[in-house]
Amino acid sequence: GEHKGFSHGRTLYEELLRVPLIVRIPGRSPENIYTPVRTMDINPTLLELAGVSYDPEALHARSLLPVIDGEEQEARPVLLETDLSGGLKHGLLYGDYKLICYSKPERCELFDLMRDPAELNPIVSGAEFEDMRARLQAAVSSCGGLYEKVAGHKRKYGQKPSPDAVERLKAMGYI
């Protein structure tokens, strides 16, 4: 791979994250939209297309139709995470920037995806770096609070998956 990796789910670099979302909407012409989106926003999009009312606050997600229709211009922050081998990694994709933070060893890298789409020249200090790090910390905290509210307990990182989960991950090619 571009970052000397050969498996899925171990990094937060673009070559693993940049996956096309293909949606066919009856009655609409095909088009390409290059805005990064969150998978959590697919459910409210489908509900809206089906004419089903929903509470965006309860889903903690928003329909993608304003993005598709060109009505929403501001980028949505996209929280990234992996806890597979190599330690916990959190990231935030926001606008033209992506911040990736590693737990082992503890460090963060900021990438300007317009100037450095291959993510080869990390930015490790400066105002934009600090702003993105603060945004990431707020997003991780918010997500952790949501997880605790839904699951009834704090999220635990670094746990080994059950033997059944390992078999399912192997069957899907993740391990």
Side-chain angles (χ1 to χ4, degrees):
E2 290 86 340
H3 287 90
K4 298 181 175 50
F6 292 103
S7 59
H8 182 71
R10 300 186 193 292
T11 74
L12 297 176
Y13 292 116
E14 288 296 286
E15 62 262 23
L16 291 178
L17 297 178
R18 192 66 65 166
V19 178
L21 171 63
I22 301 171
V23 179
R24 181 179 179 276
I25 301 175
R28 294 193 185 206
S29 299
E31 62 181 296
N32 293 324
I33 299 168
Y34 296 97
T35 303
V37 298
R38 308 175 308 177
T39 54
M40 65 192 285
D41 292 331
I42 295 170
N43 187 21
T45 305
L46 296 175
L47 290 172
E48 186 172 340
L49 285 168
V52 176
S53 63
Y54 66 94
D55 179 2
E57 295 298 317
L59 290 179
H60 304 283
R62 301 184 328 227
S63 170
L64 293 170
L65 287 183
V67 175
I68 294 167
D69 293 338
E71 296 168 1
E72 184 176 311
Q73 300 301 318
E74 186 174 332
R76 294 181 185 187
V78 179
L79 181 62
L80 314 166
E81 177 182 88
T82 185
D83 192 20
L84 292 177
S85 68
L88 176 65
K89 297 163 200 79
H90 280 112
L92 183 69
L93 181 59
Y94 186 70
D96 295 335
Y97 291 94
K98 185 199 305 175
L99 181 73
I100 302 173
C101 292
Y102 304 83
S103 63
K104 297 177 186 175
E106 191 171 314
R107 64 188 168 87
C108 294
E109 301 174 327
L110 178 67
F111 297 97
D112 180 338
L113 298 176
M114 290 300 288
R115 292 189 179 126
D116 181 20
E119 299 170 301
L120 298 175
N121 302 297
I123 301 165
V124 295
S125 63
E128 196 66 48
F129 177 86
E130 294 303 328
D131 178 61
M132 284 292 287
R133 191 158 63 173
R135 287 177 186 272
L136 174 60
Q137 289 170 344
V140 168
S141 177
S142 175
C143 186
L146 175 60
Y147 181 90
E148 188 172 348
K149 180 179 175 183
V150 172
H153 59 83
K154 288 186 184 252
R155 184 143 185 216
K156 298 175 187 167
Y157 293 102
Q159 293 183 307
K160 297 206 180 272
S162 69
D164 181 52
V166 169
E167 289 306 313
R168 287 184 301 191
L169 290 168
K170 281 182 182 177
M172 292 185 286
Y174 287 97
I175 296 178

